[in-house]
Amino acid sequence: MISADRVTKSYASVTRPALSDVSVEIDDGEFAFLIGPSGSGKSTFLELMVRYSNVTSGDIYFGDFHVNELKGKDINALRQSIG
């Protein structure tokens, strides 16, 4: 299961957040599509899911991983479990 709970991602150099208060739940075996116009936060959301960057606020869970609390080798374990 993938779960994002009230996720916000802001960058210091930009006035508008890349993601603002996003919540989503995707069950095991479920297909989901991430669509939207350029600049809507699709890539940012995916980067947060695999911990290329960290959330400003909120929580992301990927299976048994609490993504925004992972450090070091645990980040690699998350990425290896994905693909």
Side-chain angles (χ1 to χ4, degrees), residues 8-60:
T8 297
K9 176 62 177 178
S10 299
Y11 295 99
S13 61
V14 182
T15 58
R16 193 178 109 223
L19 294 174
S20 180
D21 202 30
V22 173
S23 295
V24 66
E25 194 167 294
I26 303 168
D27 292 324
D28 290 343
E30 184 177 2
F31 283 94
F33 298 90
L34 187 60
I35 60 172
S38 178
S40 63
K42 301 178 302 288
S43 295
T44 299
F45 184 76
L46 292 175
E47 288 173 5
L48 295 173
M49 294 291 301
V50 295
R51 189 59 195 284
Y52 282 127
S53 62
N54 206 359
V55 300
T56 302
S57 65
D59 292 295
I60 297 177

Side-chain angles (χ1 to χ4, degrees), residues 1-5 7 24-26 45 48-49 55 58-70 78:
M1 176 196 297
I2 299 170
S3 174
D5 184 34
V7 171
V24 66
E25 194 167 294
I26 303 168
F45 184 76
L48 295 173
M49 294 291 301
V55 300
D59 292 295
I60 297 177
Y61 295 91
F62 198 111
D64 295 330
F65 296 98
H66 186 183
V67 176
N68 40 313
E69 293 194 358
L70 296 177
L78 165 70

